[in-house]
């Protein structure tokens, strides 16, 4: 062997050693410039059921499962751009069928025409976990949690999140329905190849897409590739106008909780099309600004709740006995010269995911008022509002139950109203905490029934004592012909389920008498009393006589 040949042999051996050592995997595959195996080592026969010598000359595509062929192609494109891939799950053909392996790869400067792949069987929890269903639509919260975990894992130094507006309606304009789903599967395979860990991609439940990636990919690349793929499915298809946003999301200055909430808030804004300004060309800068603005709002929210939160009380009256049954505790912000209803603040808190903090602050303040009987008669009962988000938040519920256990003597004076503004999708889980509250002696009410995200499914799934009918239905009883029958039906259904009804927005005696006529036992509204910080001396006026009721004025 000539000296030059020996040098080349040693250089090749050195490169193979480096390639094998950099990942410490089970099998090393060396690919030539045509993508065929030129050398292999390790537990080749156990992994592929073939001897190393029989694998030489085999195209690497012949080793990969059909389901991941497109992803392999994109991984090779990514490798040529970045020179390295780390631990990407991929399906390969094995002796007993498809097997999910971890793929790493490297290109070395001294051998530019050679690609080194290392493969290993997944071990530990990863080996037992099923392949992630990245093509299945997921909720924004779930995808945000995945993104947060990947950012914290340190898998990538410069994590970026790109969101794509690729909804079913937009696809329907370009492809027939039977081909649109196949196209979306291909798009997801493409994005997986560029995503962090090979699974840092999500199809949000409205059809939008999100991908967590490093700086080697940009949104223009994605738009071009997606439209190139579209022409494969339909050469005559018009290009899709893909709106996209990319934001850097290292999150080093955020707690895990705030990072998750910031991601959810950003993705929700994108899903609704609420960019900063109207120019989607500048959307990336807009989202960076939005993230900073959001964190500023969170700080303002926490400051307001910590320093300015106060409670006022409005009576709920038993219409049969004409007695105050209990008071609803309503949150207000003290601005110095007046009390402000924090409707916008609550909306932001629910959207960003910090409403649990407000609910807990109200809870603690209410317990203090009951303990000291400040602004309320001794023995009087109060109802405390809980957001649907809080009811399904494990940490909030654990803290709530602990507080109640420490205040056991106050439990007979407490009720809880669950608001409908946020839909509770896991009703069985929500019902568990409501049952715990009722078992402790606290009555439970569904607030604003009919106004929020769900109505009758709540009656079916949640075990509660009261249903508070939204005021819009009370008003309809005087302005639409279906209003009274609808109210009567709700009251009858609640009664059959063992629940009692509360009518909101009782502004006059006609409304009060209407509620009694329809079988609604309790009323709340300015007719009985406005919210006040001190109701310790509150008394109801005498029950008014029955006048001729207003007639329905609209069909």
């Amino acid at each position: 062997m000539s000296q030059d040949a020996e040098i080349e042999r040693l250089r090749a051996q050195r490169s193979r050693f480096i390639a094998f050592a950099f990942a410490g995997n089970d099998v090393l595959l060396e690919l030539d410039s045509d993508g065929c195996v030129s050398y292999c080592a390790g537990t080749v026969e156990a992994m592929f059921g073939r001897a190393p010598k029989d694998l030489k000359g085999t195209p690497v595509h012949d080793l990969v499962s059909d389901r991941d062929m497109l992803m392999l192609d994109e991984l090779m494109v990514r490798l040529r751009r970045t020179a390295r891939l780390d631990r990407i799950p991929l399906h390969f053909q094995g002796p007993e069928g498809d097997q999910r392996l971890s793929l790493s790869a490297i290109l070395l400067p001294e051998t530019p025409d050679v690609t080194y792949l290392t493969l290993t069987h997944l071990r530990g929890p990863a080996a037992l976990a099923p392949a992630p269903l990245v093509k299945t639509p997921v909720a924004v919260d779930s995808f945000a949690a995945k993104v947060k975990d990947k950012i914290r894992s340190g898998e990538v130094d410069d994590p970026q999140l790109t969101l794509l507006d690729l909804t079913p309606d937009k696809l329907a304009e370009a492809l027939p329905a039977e081909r649109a789903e196949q196209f979306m599967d291909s798009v997801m395979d493409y994005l997986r190849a560029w995503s962090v860990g090979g699974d840092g991609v999500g199809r949000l439940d409205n059809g939008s897409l999100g991908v967590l990636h490093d700086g080697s990919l940009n949104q223009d690349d994605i738009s071009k590739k997606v439209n190139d793929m579209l022409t494969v499915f339909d050469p005559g298809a018009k290009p899709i106008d893909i709106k996209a946003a990319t934001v850097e999301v290292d999150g080093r200055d955020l707690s895990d909780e705030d990072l998750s909430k910031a991601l959810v808030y950003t993705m929700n804004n994108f899903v609704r099309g609420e960019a900063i300004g109207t120019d989607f060309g500048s959307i990336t800068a807009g989202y960076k600004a939005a993230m900073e603005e959001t964190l500023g709002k969170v700080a303002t929210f926490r400051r307001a709740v910590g320093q300015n939160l106060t409670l006022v009380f409005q009576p709920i009256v038993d219409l049969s006995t004409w007695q105050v049954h209990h008071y609803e505790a309503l949150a207000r912000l003290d601005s110095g010269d007046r009390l402000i209803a924090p409707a916008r603040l609550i909306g932001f808190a629910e959207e960003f995911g910090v409403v649990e903090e407000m609910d807990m602050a109200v809870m603690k303040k209410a317990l203090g008022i009951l303990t000291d009987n400040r602004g309320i008669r001794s023995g009087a009962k109060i109802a405390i509002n809980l957001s649907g988000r809080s009811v399904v938040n494990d940490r909030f519920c654990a803290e709530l139950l602990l507080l109640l256990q420490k205040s056991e003597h106050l439990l007979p004076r407490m009720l809880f109203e669950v608001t409908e503004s946020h839909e509770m999708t896991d009703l069985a889980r929500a019902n568990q905490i409501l049952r715990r509250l009722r078992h402790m002696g606290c009555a439970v009410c569904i607030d604003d029934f009919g106004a929020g995200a769900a109505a009758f499914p709540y009656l079916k799934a949640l075990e509660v004592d009261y249903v508070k009918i939204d005021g819009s239905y009370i008003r309809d009883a005087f302005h639409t012909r279906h209003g009274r029958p609808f109210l009567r039906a709700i009251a009858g259904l609640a009664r059959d389920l063992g629940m009692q009804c509360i009518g909101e927005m009782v502004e006059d005696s006609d409304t009060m008498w209407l509620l009694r006529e329809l079988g609604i036992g309790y009323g709340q509204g300015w007719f009985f009393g406005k919210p006040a910080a001190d109701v310790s001396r509150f008394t109801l006026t005498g029950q008014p006589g029955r006048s001729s009721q207003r007639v329905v004025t609209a069909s």
Side-chain angles (χ1 to χ4, degrees):
M1 180 181 295
S2 68
Q3 184 177 5
D4 289 345
E6 178 64 12
I7 291 173
E8 285 301 316
R9 187 186 70 80
L10 292 174
R11 181 177 294 166
Q13 287 292 88
R14 172 181 173 275
S15 296
R16 289 166 182 164
F17 175 78
I18 293 173
F20 199 67
F22 92 92
N25 291 312
D26 296 332
V27 167
L28 166 69
L29 297 180
E30 177 186 288
L31 308 182
D32 60 23
S33 57
D34 294 324
C36 296
V37 177
S38 57
Y39 176 85
C40 55
T43 58
V44 176
E45 193 159 358
M47 184 173 286
F48 293 109
R50 298 164 63 181
K53 63 182 179 63
D54 296 330
L55 217 58
K56 291 186 67 174
T58 302
V60 69
H61 285 77
D62 289 354
L63 304 177
V64 175
S65 169
D66 289 343
R67 73 172 87 176
D68 281 347
M69 200 68 71
L70 174 60
M71 185 173 175
L72 175 67
D73 288 338
E74 282 303 319
L75 284 172
M76 293 299 102
V77 175
R78 179 180 173 186
L79 179 62
R80 288 193 292 273
R81 185 177 297 182
T82 63
R84 181 162 181 159
L85 300 173
D86 288 319
R87 300 181 300 279
I88 306 295
L90 202 69
H91 289 91
F92 284 79
Q93 299 176 33
E96 299 178 1
D98 285 355
Q99 54 185 332
R100 193 160 166 255
L101 305 176
S102 178
L103 165 72
S104 295
I106 194 169
L107 296 177
L108 299 175
E110 55 266 41
T111 53
D113 294 330
V114 178
T115 302
Y116 298 97
L117 306 182
T118 57
L119 307 174
T120 188
H121 289 283
L122 298 176
R123 298 183 175 91
L128 301 175
L133 300 175
V134 297
K135 298 178 183 179
T136 303
V138 297
V140 168
D141 293 27
S142 299
F143 183 58
K146 176 194 281 191
V147 170
K148 183 265 295 180
D149 289 343
K150 286 191 166 294
I151 291 170
R152 292 300 193 225
S153 72
E155 293 179 59
V156 62
D157 294 330
D158 56 342
Q160 299 179 17
L161 176 66
T162 293
L163 300 169
L164 305 167
D165 175 26
L166 199 58
T167 60
D169 289 343
K170 185 165 290 188
L171 283 181
E173 298 174 2
L175 290 172
E178 63 273 10
R179 306 192 70 186
E181 195 61 29
Q182 295 176 342
F183 172 72
M184 280 298 296
D185 286 347
S186 297
V187 171
M188 294 300 289
D189 284 338
Y190 156 67
L191 293 176
R192 275 202 302 147
W194 289 91
S195 70
V196 174
D199 62 351
V201 60
R203 184 175 178 181
L204 304 185
D205 50 14
N206 81 324
S208 297
L209 307 180
V211 56
L212 183 69
H213 56 89
D214 59 23
S216 64
L217 182 68
N218 63 64
Q219 61 193 51
D220 291 336
D221 291 338
I222 298 174
S223 297
K224 182 179 184 304
K225 180 66 177 183
V226 169
N227 275 300
D228 287 346
M229 294 169 66
L230 180 64
T231 61
V232 174
F233 279 79
D234 184 353
K238 295 181 179 180
I240 302 174
D241 178 21
I242 302 173
K243 295 179 175 65
T246 299
V247 60
E248 296 175 4
V249 286
D250 58 40
R252 282 173 287 190
D253 298 329
L254 300 178
S255 67
D256 283 357
E257 184 176 5
D258 282 352
L259 175 58
S260 293
K261 291 170 180 175
L263 289 167
V264 168
Y265 188 71
T266 300
M267 285 188 269
N268 278 335
N269 278 352
F270 183 82
V271 166
R272 290 192 300 267
E274 294 180 5
I276 303 303
T278 57
D279 178 11
F280 273 90
S282 62
I283 195 171
T284 296
Y287 272 106
K288 290 179 181 178
M291 188 78 81
E292 295 176 1
E293 180 185 357
T294 297
L295 296 177
K297 288 181 179 179
V298 171
T300 300
F301 164 82
R302 287 174 173 157
R303 190 162 51 248
V305 169
Q307 300 174 6
N308 306 107
L309 181 68
T310 190
L311 299 182
V312 295
F313 303 93
Q314 186 173 31
I316 285 84
V317 175
D318 185 330
L319 301 181
S320 62
T321 64
W322 201 247
Q323 298 289 325
V324 174
H325 183 265
H326 66 276
Y327 295 89
E328 181 180 3
L330 300 167
R332 295 290 186 266
L333 296 179
D334 189 347
S335 66
D337 57 344
R338 62 193 180 103
L339 298 180
I340 303 171
R344 293 181 62 185
L345 198 63
I346 292 174
F348 167 78
E350 285 205 318
E351 186 176 11
F352 190 70
V354 291
V355 72
E356 300 93 339
E357 298 177 25
M358 185 166 189
D359 283 352
M360 186 53 63
V362 169
M363 181 69 211
K364 291 178 178 178
K365 191 168 286 288
L367 284 173
I369 289 172
L370 287 175
T371 299
D372 300 336
N373 287 311
R374 285 182 282 110
I376 195 167
R377 281 196 182 95
S378 176
K381 299 178 181 181
I382 65 173
I384 301 163
N385 287 287
L386 295 178
S387 164
R389 284 189 182 274
S390 297
V391 171
V392 294
N393 182 292
D394 291 339
R395 188 169 68 176
F396 173 87
C397 291
E399 186 176 357
L400 172 64
L401 293 174
L402 183 61
L403 276 177
L404 295 179
Q405 289 168 3
K406 292 179 179 179
S407 307
E408 190 173 355
H409 62 292
L410 298 175
L411 298 183
R413 300 176 60 190
M414 300 175 67
L415 300 86
F416 289 95
E417 294 190 10
V418 181
T419 63
E420 275 200 271
S421 55
H422 171 73
E423 182 179 0
M424 293 180 290
T425 54
D426 192 346
L427 293 178
R429 181 178 169 195
N431 195 48
Q432 288 180 352
I433 185 64
L434 299 186
R435 292 182 68 180
R436 290 284 300 276
L437 294 175
R438 297 180 76 219
H439 182 72
M440 297 174 80
C442 302
V444 176
C445 174
I446 296 176
D447 192 17
D448 295 328
F449 179 79
F456 292 102
Y458 283 16
L459 290 185
K460 180 179 179 181
L462 303 180
E463 300 173 35
V464 301
D465 304 281
Y466 299 93
V467 174
K468 183 181 286 187
I469 303 170
D470 184 68
S472 62
Y473 293 105
I474 308 298
R475 290 195 304 268
D476 281 352
F478 291 104
H479 300 292
T480 66
R481 295 194 180 279
H482 65 262
R484 296 190 188 198
F486 190 80
L487 281 180
R488 184 179 286 109
I490 292 177
L493 177 60
R495 187 166 50 250
D496 290 344
L497 293 172
M499 306 171 189
Q500 301 187 68
C501 286
I502 302 171
E504 289 185 324
M505 290 191 179
V506 181
E507 309 299 333
D508 52 40
S509 61
D510 286 347
T511 306
M512 183 273 293
W513 283 110
L514 173 66
L515 296 185
R516 289 194 58 173
E517 173 193 317
L518 298 179
I520 297 171
Y522 299 85
Q524 178 180 6
W526 282 20
F527 177 67
F528 305 111
K530 297 181 180 181
D534 189 339
V535 291
S536 59
R537 298 184 179 181
F538 175 81
T539 56
L540 280 171
T541 58
Q543 185 175 17
R546 187 164 188 167
S547 62
S548 58
Q549 290 192 26
R550 284 181 283 165
V551 297
V552 175
T553 59
S555 59

